[in-house]
Amino acid sequence: MLQRLRSSLCRVLVSGSPFGPPAPATPNSGPGLAGFAVHHVSPPRHAFPRVRSFVMACLPRGTATLARQDCSNGCAVPFAGERGSEVAETFRAKDLVITSATVLKEKPDPDSLVFGATFTDHMLTVEWSLASGWEKPHIKPFENLSIHPAASVLHYGVELFEGLKAFRGVDNKIRLFRPELNMKRMCRSALRATLPVFDQEELLECIRQLIQIDQEWVPYSTSASLYIRPTFIGTEQSLGVKKPSRALLFVILSPVGPYFSSGTFNPVSLWANPKYVRAWQGGTGDCKLGGNYGASLLAQCEASENGCQQVLWLYGEDGQITEVGTMNLFLYWINEDGEEELATPPLDGIILPGVTRQSIMELAQQWGEFKVCERYLTMDDLTAALEGNRVKEMFGSGTACVVCPVSDILYKGQMLHIPTMENGPKLASRILGKLTDIQYGRVESDWTTVLP
């Protein structure tokens, strides 16, 4: 059975992406791809509908069925979009209430930014309650939140977040990179956390207006950016374990430099130990919930104690490779069949469907120079490939780091050296260059949204 799982069964990326099929390519679309086959082994996924309402199609079938059931704790609220019902109640960007800050903070030097430590002058907040639905969205001065001590986010971790960036291009225009994918993923996470529905396009427009107000916080640098953190929390004022009847959606902004203290594009070392598990089948590993990250901190501390910078998460008795800390993982190698291949673990329910991950796969498939494959990889596969000198590069990907090379893995007391840097790293460098060219406007692409 394991051999079958590890085999390179194939399907087409555009029919199974958790973010839905890419838009058809246009003459100016750059790497916005359509029709390129990417081989992998994960089961087919639904596509997100391009509609303004929140619908049950945002969830896998089994989860959607469960969400409709009366679980005797407040879950029997009907979902909009079923049986041809009207568009879900939502907030609207046209109703934004804007209160400008009277005192503006000094902007930091882009070359001295610490990731996530500095925040802009304003924030976006939207409140929701079961009784009255969504309130008007507010852009207001950045401030602390006032929250009830019994709020469900504090006791039961009813929380999710997203992460995307705004880039100041070489033409001084501000761009967002594929923000619609973050909105769709946020929708999926909200369903899993039993948080209320909202219109993705309306939230995105509110975020655009927030960035416009704080546009001078977007660094004038091609090595820095403005990190955008939409967050959604349950604020139910009760100690009962139930679906929240109150919630708060807010967005904060932070100018950032490199995610890792080692700097941009310096390799990281990984600690792989099967005693800690990040996610499992039927869990929440494919959603961006805060609990997934809080529960990872002990393993991260142990990795640091062992001289490593990140955790390589393993799964199952066969030591399947899944993710790296806050990143998806790629292996560029010569596979068992002698093929040059870029491989990454499949979206089987325990992997977060990363925006950068999807973009890398689409770029590599467009190039058509080697096999691009979603497949199960184990530590035995990796060690055998290292012994056979078949490993070219290994790197992580994510919004925060974009692309990050891997140089070493500590596994079962042995340090496995990954020859990523000795091989250029040609592929990782090429991918990083292509993505940042798009993000900073050196290359036009339909993957970016330019703010007016």
Side-chain angles (χ1 to χ4, degrees):
M1 179 178 180
L2 176 60
Q3 184 60 36
R4 291 200 304 272
L5 288 176
R6 291 169 57 189
S7 64
S8 299
L9 299 177
C10 304
R11 69 174 172 84
V12 179
L13 176 65
V14 294
S15 68
S17 165
F19 299 129
T26 64
N28 297 320
S29 64
L33 307 178
F36 290 97
V38 176
H39 304 293
H40 55 89
V41 298
S42 59
R45 297 281 178 172
H46 64 281
F48 283 97
R50 296 185 62 84
V51 295
R52 293 179 61 82
S53 65
F54 167 92
V55 294
M56 289 303 290
C58 292
L59 275 182
R61 184 179 301 171
T63 310
T65 302
L66 178 62
R68 286 190 289 261
Q69 295 175 354
D70 180 0
C71 53
S72 302
N73 63 358
C75 295
V77 179
F79 286 85
E82 294 185 300
R83 302 185 184 91
S85 61
E86 296 181 359
V87 172
E89 184 180 9
T90 187
F91 53 88
R92 301 291 180 187
K94 66 180 179 60
D95 297 325
L96 262 170
V97 178
I98 300 175
T99 304
S100 298
T102 56
V103 178
L104 302 181
K105 293 177 283 190
E106 183 179 354
K107 310 299 186 297
D109 180 355
D111 295 328
S112 62
L113 289 169
V114 176
F115 192 95
T118 304
F119 299 94
T120 68
D121 294 311
H122 297 87
M123 64 191 296
L124 169 72
T125 64
V126 199
E127 294 189 36
W128 174 90
S129 69
L130 185 60
S132 58
W134 286 101
E135 304 292 340
K136 290 182 179 180
H138 288 253
I139 291 177
K140 57 186 180 181
F142 187 93
E143 63 183 9
N144 293 337
L145 298 177
S146 177
I147 192 168
H148 194 280
S152 51
V153 62
L154 302 177
H155 297 269
Y156 308 119
V158 183
E159 187 267 0
L160 62 94
F161 66 95
E162 268 301 327
L164 58 158
K165 287 179 177 179
F167 304 86
R168 188 177 297 277
V170 293
D171 54 2
N172 202 36
K173 294 180 180 178
I174 298 173
R175 291 172 172 82
L176 302 178
F177 182 74
R178 310 191 79 174
E180 69 283 353
L181 299 186
N182 295 93
M183 297 298 99
K184 291 175 181 178
R185 188 171 64 186
M186 192 171 182
C187 164
R188 290 185 70 248
S189 298
L191 272 167
R192 189 64 172 86
T194 70
L195 287 168
V197 305
F198 59 88
D199 188 308
Q200 299 166 28
E201 294 181 14
E202 295 294 339
L203 175 57
L204 187 53
E205 178 56 30
C206 288
I207 291 174
R208 289 191 192 104
Q209 294 196 37
L210 175 63
I211 296 170
Q212 286 176 334
I213 291 173
D214 277 348
Q215 61 182 284
E216 286 304 307
W217 284 88
V218 183
Y220 287 82
S221 169
T222 54
S223 59
S225 57
L226 184 70
Y227 188 79
I228 305 162
R229 173 52 65 88
T231 308
F232 203 5
I233 62 176
T235 55
E236 173 76 24
Q237 299 176 5
S238 168
L239 296 180
V241 183
K242 58 183 177 181
K243 177 180 178 179
S245 64
R246 298 172 64 90
L248 173 66
L249 191 160
F250 63 93
V251 181
I252 55 179
L253 309 174
S254 175
V256 298
Y259 181 74
F260 295 110
S261 59
S262 58
T264 302
F265 214 60
N266 288 325
V268 296
S269 56
L270 310 179
W271 181 74
N273 193 315
K275 75 175 182 177
Y276 295 117
V277 179
R278 174 191 172 273
W280 49 89
Q281 295 292 343
T284 61
D286 60 346
C287 297
K288 208 165 179 65
L289 307 185
N292 293 342
Y293 296 81
S296 73
L297 297 178
L298 180 60
Q300 177 60 47
C301 289
E302 197 160 335
S304 298
E305 291 171 0
N306 283 275
C308 298
Q309 293 157 292
Q310 286 285 306
V311 178
L312 173 57
W313 295 103
L314 305 179
Y315 180 74
E317 294 183 359
D318 57 339
Q320 292 178 23
I321 295 170
T322 62
E323 293 190 18
V324 176
T326 57
M327 303 181 290
N328 293 120
L329 187 68
F330 285 89
L331 176 64
Y332 180 44
W333 68 333
I334 304 300
N335 67 19
E336 303 91 337
D337 299 323
E339 301 169 304
E340 187 176 351
E341 177 181 86
L342 179 64
T344 191
L347 301 179
D348 60 357
I350 67 173
I351 302 291
L352 185 71
V355 175
T356 309
R357 173 190 184 276
Q358 178 176 333
S359 302
I360 289 173
M361 295 187 70
E362 293 178 10
L363 277 177
Q365 187 62 36
Q366 182 191 39
W367 294 336
E369 299 170 12
F370 43 79
K371 185 176 181 179
V372 180
C373 183
E374 281 188 298
R375 54 166 290 173
Y376 290 97
L377 296 164
T378 68
M379 287 303 297
D380 286 346
D381 293 332
L382 179 60
T383 53
L386 287 170
E387 292 171 358
N389 294 318
R390 293 188 285 112
V391 174
K392 294 176 176 288
E393 301 176 31
M394 178 179 280
F395 53 89
S397 70
T399 296
C401 69
V402 188
V403 176
C404 180
V406 174
S407 59
D408 298 279
I409 299 175
L410 181 58
Y411 178 62
K412 292 184 176 180
Q414 180 182 1
M415 187 65 80
L416 305 176
H417 179 64
I418 313 298
T420 304
M421 304 309 289
E422 289 87 336
N423 287 311
K426 294 180 180 178
L427 181 59
S429 298
R430 180 182 179 187
I431 290 170
L432 177 64
K434 184 64 174 180
L435 290 177
T436 53
D437 281 349
I438 293 171
Q439 292 167 343
Y440 289 101
R442 289 184 286 262
V443 174
E444 290 189 11
S445 171
D446 283 349
W447 281 0
T448 59
T449 298
V450 180
L451 271 62

